[in-house]
Amino acid sequence: MSLERLDLSSPVARLGFGLAAVGRPGYINLHRDRDLPVARTVEAMRERTYALLDAAYAAGVRYADAARSYGRAEEFLAGWLGSRDVADMVVGSKWGYTYTGGWRVDAEVHETKDHGLGVYERQLVQTRALLGERLDVYQIHSLTVESPALADAALHRRLGELAATGVTIGFSSSGPRQADAIDAALRIEVDGVPLFRSVQATWNLLEPSAGRALAAARAAGCHVIVKEAMANGRLAEQSANLGVLAEVAAETGAPQDAVALAAVLHQPWSGVVLSGAATTAQLASHLAASRVDLSADQLTRLATLAEPADHYWKHRATLPWT
C-alpha cells in the first residue's frame, strides 16, 4: 500500500497516467473539443477512461493518479480496478479540492479549495469508499506557501496515522513559488519522522522553476511525481515560440510531445512522469518518450524554452475550461 512497490526499472514504468483530463467533462487542457466526445456523458467519459487505462497498463504503465476534485475520476478508476486483473497497479489520489462543476463544462466554479482537517477527514472517507485498500498514495492537492496545512499540527498528526497504515503521504504543489512550498513541507515531521514521502509538482520545458527543490526532495528520499509535463497541451502546439522543440523532435524522429516528456524523464531527480492524455493516440505518443534519448546539447537547447515562473502561471490562469 505505498509507492515503494512501484518498480521503476522499466523506462515505460516511469510514465504514469493522470485522470485530470478524463474524470470530468471540463478542464483547461487545450483542444478538448477535438479530443473528447461531443456528448461528454458520464458513460462516455467512463468508457474513454477505461480505454486509456487499458492501453496504458498493456504498455507497462503501473501508476494511476486521481483526485477528489477530478469529477468522477476516483469512481472511474475504482471501476476499472475492480473489473481488471491489475493487482500491481499503484494508485494515488489527492484531497483538498472539492468538485463543484455539477458535470457541466460551463460551470461558474469547477472546484473549491480547503486544506482544513475537516475536509481531509471527509474526503478520506469518500476516497476509501471508492478505492478501499487500493489507495497507495494520498496527497494534499496543490499545496502552496499560503496553505494552512503547513502549520496544522492536528492535520499532520492525522496524516501520520494514515502513513502508519502503509499509505504514502504526499502533496502536490502549484504556482510560481512551488519550490518554497516544497522546502517548507519537507521540513514537517511527526514524532521526529518526516511526514511527506512523495512530492508531485509541475515541471516542464516552459516552467522548470521547481527543479532545485525537486532535486532536494529526491535526495531526501522522497518519490518525485511530475504533473503537467505537457503544460496543459501547450508543448504539443506547432508554434514559432517552440521552434527548438520542433527542431529536436525532427532530429530524434520522435513526436514533439514525446520529446517534451522525454526532457522530464532525463532530469536526474524525476521519478514518475504523468501523461494526461485524452485519447489513445496521444497516450501512444506520450509513451514513446520512454524510447527517446536526448543528448546534453539537445537538453541545453530545450532549456532555452523556459519562461519566468510568474509569466507561466499567469498564462495558465487564463486558460478556459472547455
Side-chain angles (χ1 to χ4, degrees):
M1 285 174 45
S2 77
L3 269 173
E4 301 301 330
R5 64 189 187 90
L6 191 61
D7 180 7
L8 299 181
S9 60
S10 165
V12 74
R14 291 187 57 208
L15 291 165
F17 181 68
L19 281 73
V22 291
R24 51 195 167 186
Y27 190 48
I28 62 173
N29 282 359
L30 304 181
H31 304 304
R32 287 174 64 79
D33 56 337
R34 180 190 66 196
D35 296 335
L36 294 173
V38 175
R40 296 179 201 169
T41 63
V42 172
E43 286 310 312
M45 297 300 284
R46 188 194 314 273
E47 181 179 346
R48 177 63 60 89
T49 300
Y50 280 29
L52 285 161
L53 285 166
D54 282 341
Y57 188 85
V61 172
R62 292 297 181 269
Y63 182 73
D65 180 84
R68 286 301 307 152
S69 64
Y70 294 172
R72 298 197 179 206
E74 287 185 337
E75 175 189 326
F76 294 168
L77 180 55
W80 180 79
L81 290 167
S83 61
R84 307 292 195 270
D85 182 16
V86 289
D88 57 343
M89 198 72 173
V90 178
V91 175
S93 195
K94 297 181 286 293
W95 70 272
Y97 273 84
T98 298
Y99 179 64
T100 58
W103 207 258
R104 294 175 60 93
V105 174
D106 60 351
E108 286 190 21
V109 179
H110 291 269
E111 54 190 11
T112 58
K113 182 178 183 178
D114 186 335
H115 286 166
L117 176 58
V119 172
Y120 164 72
E121 292 180 334
R122 168 172 58 84
Q123 293 196 322
L124 177 60
V125 170
Q126 293 167 335
T127 296
R128 283 294 200 195
L130 291 167
L131 295 173
E133 295 304 310
R134 294 303 303 266
L135 179 67
D136 296 299
V137 189
Y138 211 39
Q139 306 161 90
I140 303 176
H141 198 166
S142 292
L143 189 70
T144 65
V145 290
E146 298 85 10
S147 173
L150 288 172
D152 190 337
L155 173 63
H156 301 164
R157 179 67 57 183
R158 293 288 285 118
L159 290 170
E161 291 170 3
L162 183 60
T165 71
V167 175
T168 298
I169 301 301
F171 63 92
S172 71
S173 63
S174 297
R177 296 185 62 191
Q178 285 189 106
D180 294 336
I182 294 168
D183 290 342
L186 294 185
R187 289 193 291 268
I188 297 172
E189 296 183 346
V190 174
D191 295 332
V193 177
L195 175 61
F196 297 111
R197 306 314 300 152
S198 75
V199 179
Q200 183 176 132
T202 294
W203 193 99
N204 57 59
L205 291 172
L206 301 179
E207 212 306 58
S209 67
R212 187 272 309 159
L214 292 174
R218 183 67 178 267
C222 288
H223 299 274
V224 173
I225 303 168
V226 177
K227 63 184 175 75
E228 298 186 3
M230 290 301 302
N232 300 108
R234 291 177 61 193
L235 289 169
E237 295 284 274
Q238 301 301 312
S239 165
N241 295 331
L242 299 176
V244 171
L245 179 56
E247 290 172 7
V248 174
E251 292 165 9
T252 61
Q256 184 169 304
D257 53 356
V259 171
L261 286 168
V264 189
L265 289 169
H266 277 67
Q267 301 308 307
W269 42 259
S270 70
V272 173
V273 180
L274 297 178
S275 163
T279 70
T280 53
Q282 284 178 355
L283 178 64
S285 192
H286 291 179
L287 293 174
S290 65
R291 302 187 295 275
V292 176
D293 186 23
L294 298 174
S295 69
D297 174 71
Q298 288 170 330
L299 288 167
T300 298
R301 287 154 56 201
L302 289 169
T304 65
L305 293 171
E307 302 174 350
D310 285 339
H311 175 81
Y312 175 89
W313 290 98
K314 285 178 182 177
H315 183 278
R316 185 184 184 279
T318 68
L319 298 177
W321 288 71
T322 59

